[in-house]
Amino acid sequence: MDLITFFGRFHVLVLHLPIGILLMAAVIEMSCVAFNKPRTKTLNTIWLWGLISACGAALLGYMLSLSGGYSEEAVFTHKAWAFAAIFCALICWIFFSKQAIQTGPKKTGLSALIYSLCSVQLFLLFSTGHYGANMTHGSTYLFEYAPNPVRTLAGMEPHAKPRPKVTQLEQADAYLDIVKPILEQRCTGCHNPEKSKGKLNLTTPENIFKGGQSGPAVIASDLHQSELYKRITLDSHAKKFMPAGGKPPLTDNQVATLAWWIESGAPVQTTLADLTLSKKARSILSVSLGLEQAKGGWPLPKIEMIPNAVAEQLTQQGFMIKQIAKDINYLDIDYSVSRQPLTNEALNGLLSIKEHVVWLNLANSQVSNEQLKVLAQFPNLLKLHLEKNPISDQGIEHLTTLNQLQYLNLYRTNITNTSLNTLASLPNLTRLYTGETKVTSNTNASLAPSVSTSEKQNNKG
C-alpha cells in the first residue's frame, strides 16, 4: 500500500499534462475551422499524447484514491468525469487521425461536428478538474468568497451573516467565536466532509468529538489524550505533526487557546460569562479575539539590516537567509538545506552577524561540541535546531548563556539526563525536544517550570 500511495501522489503532478495538451488540441482544431486554415498531422500526435497522459493521470489518481481520506461519493464523481474525458479524447483522436478533414464554406456540417467534439472535450476537462479540486479543497472552495448572487447561481447558500464582533470577553461563545475560527484557518482544509484525511472531519463539534482513524480528536477535560492537541504540539519534523504538508503551524496563542478549550471541558453553546477564567486564560482568549495585542509579540529591540555583501557571502557558504518579517530585520538562518557538514569557516562567518540571528537551523550538519561554544556567543537566539548531530552533554554546557532561547530541538543527539539539568537554568526555554536520545521521560519532570509538560516529553520525530 505504501508503494501504491507513493506513486499515487504523483497524480497531482501528472494531471496538468492532459489538461494542457487536450485543451491545446481542442483550441487549435476550432481555430483551424474558424479561420479556414489547413490542419497538420502534428495535431493527431497532440491528441494521442493528450489521450496517453489522461490515461496515466487517471491510473495515478485511482492509486491515490486507495490511500483513503476522501469522500467515496466525491471520488466516484471525479472518476466518472475523468473517464468521460478520456473516452472523448479517444473519439477525437480516432476521428481526427482517420479522416481527411478539409474545412471551408461548403463543409458546414463537418465544421459543426468539429466544434461540438472540441467543445465537449473542453467541458469534460473543466468539469473533471473542478470535481478534483472539490476533493482537495472542499466543494465550497471555488465560490467561498463569491458575492451572494453568484453563490445562488452556483446552487450554494448565501453567505451566513457574520457573527457580531465581540467587544467584551464575556460575550464570546467558547466554540463559535474562539475555537471554530482557528480550526477553519488551520485545519478544515484537509479535514472536511469532502476531504477527510484520516477519516477526520473538524467542521462541527459532533465530528470533532467523533474523531477519525486515531480515535476522538478531542476528549473533554483530558488534554494529553486528545489527539488534536497531541498532533499540533509534536516536533514539526515528526511524521504525525499537524498541519501536514509544510502548511504553517498553529501559533503559540492558537495552541494555548485550544488547550484551554479542551481543559475546560470543550464547551459548546457556552459563553465565557458562564465559565470561570483564570488571569492567564483571559489573556490568551483576549488575544485570540483581537481584544488585546499579544504581549511580547516580538521580544527584541529594533535592529538595522545586515549589509547585502555579508548576506551574499553567507549564501555562498551554504546558508539560506530569510528576514523574520517585513519590519523585523532579525534573521532566520538555515544551514540544513546545504546538506554539508558545518565548517568552522562558515560558522565564523555567521558570527559576524550574531546579533541578527534569532532562528538557526543546523539540523544534520555534523555540528561538534566545540562548535557549540561558538553558538554560545549568539545573544539573541530564540529558536535552535540541533537535531541529528553528534553533540553530547559536554557541548550542551556551552548553551547556558543563551538566555533568550525559547525552542531547542535535540532529537537524535547523544545527550543524556545531564543535559536536562543543564538546560533547566535557561529562563525562557518553553519547547525542548529530546526524542531518540538517552534522556528518560521520567527525568523530564526536573526541567524548569517554564517548560510545559507536553513539550518536554520525548517526541519521536
Side-chain angles (χ1 to χ4, degrees):
M1 179 58 74
D2 286 345
L3 189 60
I4 292 176
T5 302
F6 167 73
F7 285 113
R9 291 189 174 184
F10 282 87
H11 172 69
V12 296
L13 176 65
V14 176
L15 66 87
H16 297 92
L17 292 176
I19 293 175
I21 296 173
L22 292 175
L23 185 149
M24 177 176 63
V27 170
I28 294 176
E29 291 286 2
M30 289 191 290
S31 67
C32 288
V33 175
F35 298 103
N36 197 26
K37 292 183 178 180
R39 66 185 303 277
T40 65
K41 291 184 178 180
T42 303
L43 270 174
N44 300 336
T45 304
I46 295 176
W47 280 109
L48 176 60
W49 278 109
L51 173 62
I52 293 173
S53 61
C55 292
L59 176 61
L60 294 174
Y62 170 73
M63 297 169 75
L64 180 61
S65 71
L66 297 178
S67 65
Y70 298 95
S71 162
E72 292 184 4
E73 181 180 354
V75 170
F76 176 81
T77 302
H78 184 47
K79 282 181 181 178
W81 284 104
F83 289 144
I86 292 173
F87 181 72
C88 184
L90 176 63
I91 296 299
C92 288
W93 174 62
I94 294 174
F95 174 75
F96 288 117
S97 61
K98 300 300 181 183
Q99 299 293 325
I101 299 175
Q102 297 293 328
T103 60
K106 298 181 180 180
K107 300 289 184 177
T108 55
L110 183 59
S111 297
L113 180 58
I114 294 173
Y115 275 128
S116 298
L117 279 174
C118 292
S119 297
V120 170
Q121 182 69 83
L122 292 175
F123 172 74
L124 292 174
L125 280 177
F126 293 142
S127 298
T128 304
H130 170 66
Y131 284 103
N134 282 357
M135 291 174 58
T136 303
H137 303 291
S139 59
T140 63
Y141 179 77
L142 189 61
F143 296 99
E144 183 176 0
Y145 298 103
N148 281 335
V150 177
R151 288 172 63 91
T152 302
L153 288 174
M156 297 175 61
E157 294 290 331
H159 287 291
K161 292 183 178 180
R163 290 182 58 77
K165 182 175 177 60
V166 175
T167 57
Q168 293 183 352
L169 191 63
E170 287 72 16
Q171 297 174 342
D173 183 285
Y175 175 76
L176 294 177
D177 293 320
I178 297 174
V179 174
K180 185 178 180 181
I182 295 175
L183 297 179
E184 288 181 342
Q185 182 184 5
R186 300 295 195 183
C187 306
T188 57
C190 291
H191 300 289
N192 56 68
E194 286 81 20
K195 183 185 179 183
S196 51
K197 286 292 187 181
K199 298 184 178 179
L200 176 62
N201 178 2
L202 295 176
T203 57
T204 66
E206 295 77 15
N207 285 308
I208 293 172
F209 298 133
K210 178 183 176 183
Q213 289 178 336
S214 300
V218 166
I219 299 177
S221 303
D222 195 340
L223 185 63
H224 300 295
Q225 291 302 315
S226 294
E227 194 67 24
L228 173 64
Y229 182 77
K230 289 196 289 185
R231 295 296 184 92
I232 63 176
T233 55
L234 286 172
D235 175 48
S236 59
H237 290 81
K239 183 178 181 180
K240 294 184 177 181
F241 173 75
M242 294 294 169
K247 297 181 178 66
L250 277 71
T251 66
D252 290 343
N253 195 77
Q254 288 174 328
V255 172
T257 299
L258 292 180
W260 165 83
W261 183 63
I262 296 171
E263 290 184 317
S264 299
V268 177
Q269 296 182 340
T270 303
T271 62
L272 297 187
D274 299 324
L275 301 172
T276 301
L277 301 177
S278 66
K279 182 178 179 181
K280 181 179 179 181
R282 295 180 70 88
S283 177
I284 291 170
L285 301 180
S286 293
V287 172
S288 288
L289 291 166
L291 299 178
E292 66 178 56
Q293 295 294 322
K295 294 181 179 179
W298 183 250
L300 301 174
K302 289 186 177 181
I303 195 171
E304 295 295 326
M305 294 183 64
I306 65 171
N308 289 334
V310 176
E312 291 176 3
Q313 181 180 2
L314 292 173
T315 300
Q316 292 175 358
Q317 291 177 327
F319 293 103
M320 178 181 289
I321 303 175
K322 292 186 291 184
Q323 191 173 327
I324 292 295
K326 180 180 179 181
D327 299 321
I328 300 177
N329 294 324
Y330 290 93
L331 301 177
D332 174 4
I333 307 289
D334 190 348
Y335 190 78
S336 66
V337 294
S338 70
R339 300 185 181 276
Q340 298 291 330
L342 179 66
T343 64
N344 291 332
E345 179 184 1
L347 187 55
N348 288 330
L350 193 63
L351 191 61
S352 65
I353 57 165
K354 60 183 179 181
E355 288 83 6
H356 288 77
V357 181
V358 290
W359 296 351
L360 180 58
N361 189 345
L362 300 177
N364 200 23
S365 300
Q366 295 298 307
V367 178
S368 67
N369 287 331
E370 281 298 313
Q371 289 175 325
L372 292 186
K373 185 184 297 184
V374 179
L375 291 183
Q377 302 176 49
F378 286 66
N380 295 324
L381 271 181
L382 300 176
K383 182 186 295 185
L384 179 59
H385 284 270
L386 292 174
E387 59 264 36
K388 300 181 182 179
N389 281 304
I391 56 177
S392 63
D393 298 331
Q394 181 182 358
I396 298 300
E397 291 179 359
H398 300 307
L399 303 184
T400 54
T401 60
L402 302 179
N403 292 327
Q404 299 284 0
L405 195 64
Q406 299 173 359
Y407 173 108
L408 179 60
N409 195 323
L410 298 173
Y411 167 74
R412 204 182 291 178
T413 58
N414 298 323
I415 66 167
T416 68
N417 297 336
T418 301
S419 288
L420 295 187
N421 297 326
T422 301
L423 295 171
S425 64
L426 295 179
N428 292 307
L429 186 62
T430 56
R431 292 192 179 184
L432 173 64
Y433 298 100
T434 58
E436 295 193 25
T437 64
K438 297 178 182 179
V439 172
T440 56
S441 57
N442 61 343
T443 309
N444 283 343
S446 67
L447 280 171
S450 61
V451 185
S452 66
T453 304
S454 64
E455 291 161 341
K456 290 183 298 182
Q457 64 188 350
N458 284 3
N459 291 287
K460 302 298 183 184

